[in-house]
Amino acid sequence: MGKMPVPFALRHGRHIFVYSNLRTNQVIYSLTRDMNNNAALRQLPYLGKKTVPAALRKDLWQPLATISFPDPPQGLTAFRKLREYRKLHELSYPLDDIKDKNGKLLGKKQRGKKLMDQKANSIADIAAVLQSREKGNVVGEAGETAVKDASPRDKLAIVEEEAVETRRRIGAFRDEHQRDKVKISWADILDAEYAETWPESVVHDGMRLEKGRTVAPVPKNSPEEIEAMRQAHLKMYPPKRVKVAQAM
């Protein structure tokens, strides 16, 4: 029996593909491995003459990173926030960003070139968006117990019970959040240094790119994710039961 195809709706948004321009360091976010020409161009604001090309030259764009989320809703939310942050960087910026060392405003060409360079800002935005989804620490430490009047042996037993319960809850918390990890595959893992800090739930990895390849590689899913998607597929599209006619 061949592999069961996973419905597009079940995986749309699980991965965000980030591309950067080799010349200008402009950044494009995509929900698909192949960049759509019209959708990509809509992400590039007009910052002056020749800042928005008439058509997308894919040979000038390379994969920067691939962000993999536990489920599509988280990815779609992050995708929307990343585009909003990037729009703010390009259209609502401090005046000092477009001044030279002497405090004079840059020319139109230099200003557009500087505002197009969004690689460092985009990586910092990724870290900020993932930080916003980071859940809090373990809540519910061992409560205060009235042991003032208890004997030393009873106090020791109470403390041991609380320690065992605390370890159990911490272990359950870790198991739960291990499945809530976000994986970032970098074309150059040193690019992650553009962000000051990263959440603990983020796992960094390298991206294997073939020579001359301009499309991000297919993200690899774990066996647990594949099985979960298969079960969801079976739930949405249950197999048809064929009645076999009985011989007379």
Side-chain angles (χ1 to χ4, degrees):
M1 184 178 180
K3 293 184 179 179
M4 185 174 297
V6 181
F8 180 76
L10 293 180
R11 50 188 170 84
H12 181 66
R14 281 202 66 246
H15 307 286
I16 298 178
F17 302 92
V18 188
Y19 288 87
S20 64
N21 191 289
L22 294 171
R23 295 179 179 176
T24 63
N25 277 341
Q26 290 171 292
V27 174
I28 287 177
Y29 302 107
S30 175
L31 294 175
T32 58
R33 291 175 57 237
D34 296 320
M35 291 187 296
N36 180 273
N37 184 76
N38 294 331
L41 291 177
R42 283 197 295 267
Q43 294 189 36
L44 303 178
Y46 179 78
L47 300 172
K49 189 177 180 181
K50 296 183 179 180
T51 57
V52 180
L56 198 68
R57 282 188 55 183
K58 294 186 177 181
D59 60 317
L60 293 179
W61 294 84
Q62 66 176 357
L64 175 64
T66 299
I67 314 171
S68 301
F69 292 86
D71 53 69
Q74 294 186 33
L76 294 174
T77 301
F79 180 78
R80 176 179 55 81
K81 289 183 178 180
L82 287 173
R83 292 190 58 177
E84 291 175 353
Y85 288 167
R86 202 265 311 282
K87 187 68 69 176
L88 287 175
H89 288 308
E90 294 172 332
L91 300 180
S92 180
Y93 45 84
L95 193 60
D96 294 337
D97 289 353
I98 56 174
K99 290 183 179 180
D100 57 14
K101 297 180 180 179
N102 299 324
K104 296 181 180 180
L105 290 176
L106 298 173
K108 292 183 178 179
K109 187 175 181 179
Q110 293 178 329
R111 187 187 314 168
K113 185 177 181 180
K114 187 171 184 179
L115 293 176
M116 284 192 294
D117 188 353
Q118 293 295 324
K119 182 177 179 179
N121 285 336
S122 297
I123 294 174
D125 291 342
I126 294 173
V129 170
L130 297 181
Q131 187 71 44
S132 66
R133 68 172 288 280
E134 179 84 345
K135 296 183 179 179
N137 297 327
V138 182
V139 180
E141 299 178 355
E144 296 182 358
T145 311
V147 294
K148 293 182 180 180
D149 298 332
S151 64
R153 182 176 298 178
D154 293 338
K155 290 181 180 180
L156 180 60
I158 292 173
V159 171
E160 289 178 349
E161 290 179 1
E162 291 181 347
V164 171
E165 177 64 17
T166 301
R167 286 195 295 269
R168 184 194 66 79
R169 297 176 66 177
I170 292 177
F173 175 85
R174 288 177 178 174
D175 293 340
E176 177 183 355
H177 286 264
Q178 187 67 27
R179 299 188 297 268
D180 201 41
K181 296 287 186 181
V182 174
K183 180 181 178 181
I184 303 180
S185 300
W186 298 94
D188 183 0
I189 201 166
L190 295 179
D191 287 337
E193 298 297 328
Y194 281 113
E196 294 183 359
T197 58
W198 289 95
E200 294 182 358
S201 61
V202 176
V203 178
H204 299 275
D205 193 9
M207 182 189 300
R208 294 182 179 180
L209 288 175
E210 299 180 5
K211 187 176 181 180
R213 190 166 181 91
T214 59
V215 180
V218 179
K220 294 183 179 180
N221 295 321
S222 64
E224 293 78 9
E225 293 171 336
I226 295 175
E227 178 62 22
M229 289 189 293
R230 191 184 72 85
Q231 294 295 337
H233 181 274
L234 290 174
K235 186 175 181 181
M236 292 180 61
Y237 305 98
K240 296 181 181 180
R241 296 181 178 180
V242 180
K243 294 183 179 180
V244 180
Q246 298 180 355
M248 298 297 295

